[in-house]
Amino acid sequence: MSDERPVRLHCFAHAGAGVSAFYGWGPRLGPGVETVPHLLPGRERRRSEPRLTSPAGLLADQLPHFTGEGGEGGDAPYILYGHSLGALVAYSVTRALHEAGLPGPALLVVGACPPPDRLSALADQCRAGDEELLRLLGEANALPARARPGDFWHQAVLPVLRDDLVLAHELRTAARAPSPAGPLAVPVLAVAGADDPLAQPEAMAQWRAWTTGPFAVRTVPGDHFFLRGHELPHLVGRAARVVRRLVPQPAGAR
């Protein structure tokens, strides 16, 4: 595989996060896979940019990575992985490419996120007051253990998280509208954390209705943040090598 172009794995993180969760994925993915983390505005090096809360704004920000001259997808097969909010981002990008008549990913992997037609404990409460939102975050083990009112997390991270939950809610609403291009046919792999209270395995299995293509659901150890463990990148790396075998390289790719 060393003489082949690596499969690019485009990654989208969960609400309130940057892309640091994907930095250690390289060795865990195995050979022939390259991670391409996508950072949304309003965090890390893009901290000064306005945060996104609408599907139109998200697609304007992300679609150029996959379309036109110099698009990161190119002619070679690539994969999208999205975790929680990131799953909705990855799905929305895939659908937008489909509706534009453009090539999409060879595989869409969604993790820790119920499909748009299922209840979402956090996204559906995106406009709740701080006290209620913090209670829900605590129940989901999504609050840092040492977070206290008025500290850095509440001042710097909570506003980003709240806007991201609004974006998730809007993406879920937009996804439920029928697509003028018809349903997706892209292969989908849905991944659940065995102890995830927000997206249990039976909910992740419902992504089956969101594609007419091949579908699989897998469960890995961990709670809502199982992307920090070893099992998810191992699983996605194996899937990428299946894509490599099944999808031919374009001429000149080697």
Side-chain angles (χ1 to χ4, degrees):
M1 188 176 293
S2 59
D3 62 342
E4 296 180 332
R5 182 185 301 177
V7 174
R8 282 191 149 191
L9 172 63
H10 297 267
C11 301
F12 301 94
H14 49 285
V19 292
S20 60
F22 301 113
Y23 289 164
W25 272 33
R28 301 173 186 175
L29 288 166
V33 189
E34 175 188 1
T35 54
V36 185
H38 287 256
L39 183 66
L40 298 185
R43 65 213 76 204
E44 295 182 7
R45 68 178 183 275
R46 304 186 69 183
R47 185 175 293 108
S48 62
E49 300 177 44
R51 297 190 291 271
L52 304 173
T53 56
S54 72
L58 171 78
L59 293 175
D61 184 73
Q62 289 299 313
L63 271 185
H65 294 296
F66 302 94
T67 61
E69 186 175 353
E72 293 182 18
D75 294 326
Y78 65 94
I79 296 173
L80 299 187
Y81 175 72
H83 194 85
S84 196
L85 163 68
L88 297 169
V89 174
Y91 170 82
S92 300
V93 167
T94 302
R95 171 168 160 160
L97 292 170
H98 174 60
E99 292 178 348
L102 296 170
L107 176 66
L108 170 63
V109 189
V110 291
C113 179
D117 58 344
R118 300 273 296 194
L119 293 176
S120 174
L122 288 178
D124 293 344
Q125 298 295 322
C126 60
R127 293 182 173 87
D130 282 355
E131 183 176 342
E132 176 64 10
L133 181 57
L134 290 170
R135 183 186 68 80
L136 292 169
L137 291 169
E139 291 177 353
N141 296 322
L143 268 179
R146 297 182 180 179
R148 296 292 182 270
D151 66 5
F152 175 82
W153 188 91
H154 283 77
Q155 294 182 31
V157 180
L158 184 58
V160 179
L161 176 60
R162 182 178 285 283
D163 280 350
D164 282 355
L165 292 178
V166 173
L167 174 61
H169 176 75
E170 296 301 318
L171 291 176
R172 286 164 57 80
T173 301
R176 292 194 293 268
S179 171
L184 292 179
V186 64
V188 173
L189 171 61
V191 187
D195 301 311
D196 184 355
L198 298 178
Q200 297 176 345
E202 56 268 27
M204 295 303 298
Q206 300 306 309
W207 278 97
R208 179 68 188 90
W210 290 79
T211 183
T212 61
F215 176 81
V217 60
R218 298 289 183 268
T219 300
V220 299
D223 58 15
H224 189 65
F225 300 102
F226 59 82
L227 82 166
R228 297 168 180 163
H230 291 73
E231 291 80 5
L232 177 63
H234 287 164
L235 174 64
V236 177
R238 291 194 299 270
R241 285 182 284 279
V242 172
V243 166
R244 168 68 66 206
R245 292 196 301 270
L246 296 180
V247 181
Q249 286 276 325
R254 300 188 180 190

